[in-house]
């Protein structure tokens, strides 16, 4: 974790709740990359118990990314404001913006995580403690 932390210019968040049958993906569960020049990101990939069904938590200092420019709604959970991105009543993505970073909880391709699960994962995002 320390190695990942040293590569990123923002505070890392970790989920304290995940979908009940999920686990880290076997292939590249955590990846640091540059989504665009001058910015960095961390992607945590999880697989559900159904197998071959993935969802992610993405963390980045690219706070103006096109994918997060137009939320469909907002919600306050545990005193923090989250942007919601919905498709047909299903939450596809929830974004927490804090300081110079944003933290995205991204549903499966077919939005197989329930709205309640998505909200619980987002609410459970907490800063990684320094050691």
């Amino acid at each position: 974790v320390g190695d990942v932390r040293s590569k990123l210019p923002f505070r890392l968040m970790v989920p304290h709740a995940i979908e009940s049958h999920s686990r880290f993906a076997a292939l590249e569960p955590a990846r640091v990359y540059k989504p665009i020049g001058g910015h960095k990101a961390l992607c945590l990939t999880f697989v559900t118990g159904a197998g071959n069904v993935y969802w992610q938590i993405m963390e980045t200092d690219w706070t103006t990314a096109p994918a997060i420019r137009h939320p469909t709604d907002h919600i306050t959970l545990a005193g923090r404001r989250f942007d919601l991105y919905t498709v047909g009543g299903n939450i596809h993505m929830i974004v927490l913006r804090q300081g110079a970073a944003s933290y995205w909880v991204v549903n499966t391709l077919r939005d197989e995580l329930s709205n309640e699960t998505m909200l619980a994962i987002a609410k459970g995002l907490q800063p990684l403690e320094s050691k």
Side-chain angles (χ1 to χ4, degrees), residues 27-46:
L27 184 63
E28 206 168 24
R31 180 172 64 104
V32 174
Y33 65 101
K34 293 181 180 180
I36 192 171
H39 295 286
K40 292 188 177 180
L42 168 66
C43 182
L44 303 174
T45 301
F46 298 85

Side-chain angles (χ1 to χ4, degrees), residues 56 83 92 106:
Q56 297 178 318
D83 293 336
H92 180 69
V106 184

Side-chain angles (χ1 to χ4, degrees), residues 4 7-8 14 22 30 48 70 73 82 84 89 94-95 98 114:
V4 169
K7 294 178 182 179
L8 298 168
V14 293
S22 291
T48 68
H70 303 289
D73 206 350
F82 294 84
L84 300 179
I94 301 175
V95 176
Q98 286 197 333
S114 70

Side-chain angles (χ1 to χ4, degrees), residues 2 5 12 22 27 30 44 53-54 59 65 79-80 83-84 93 110 113 121 125 128-129:
R5 188 182 310 172
L12 298 184
S22 291
L27 184 63
L44 303 174
V53 178
Y54 299 90
E59 308 183 9
R80 299 184 296 179
D83 293 336
L84 300 179
M93 183 167 60
R110 296 188 311 173
L113 300 185
I121 295 167
L125 286 175
L128 180 65
E129 296 299 322

Side-chain angles (χ1 to χ4, degrees), residues 62-80:
W62 186 22
T63 58
T64 59
I68 61 171
R69 287 188 186 155
H70 303 289
T72 51
D73 206 350
H74 309 282
I75 190 169
T76 300
L77 299 170
R80 299 184 296 179

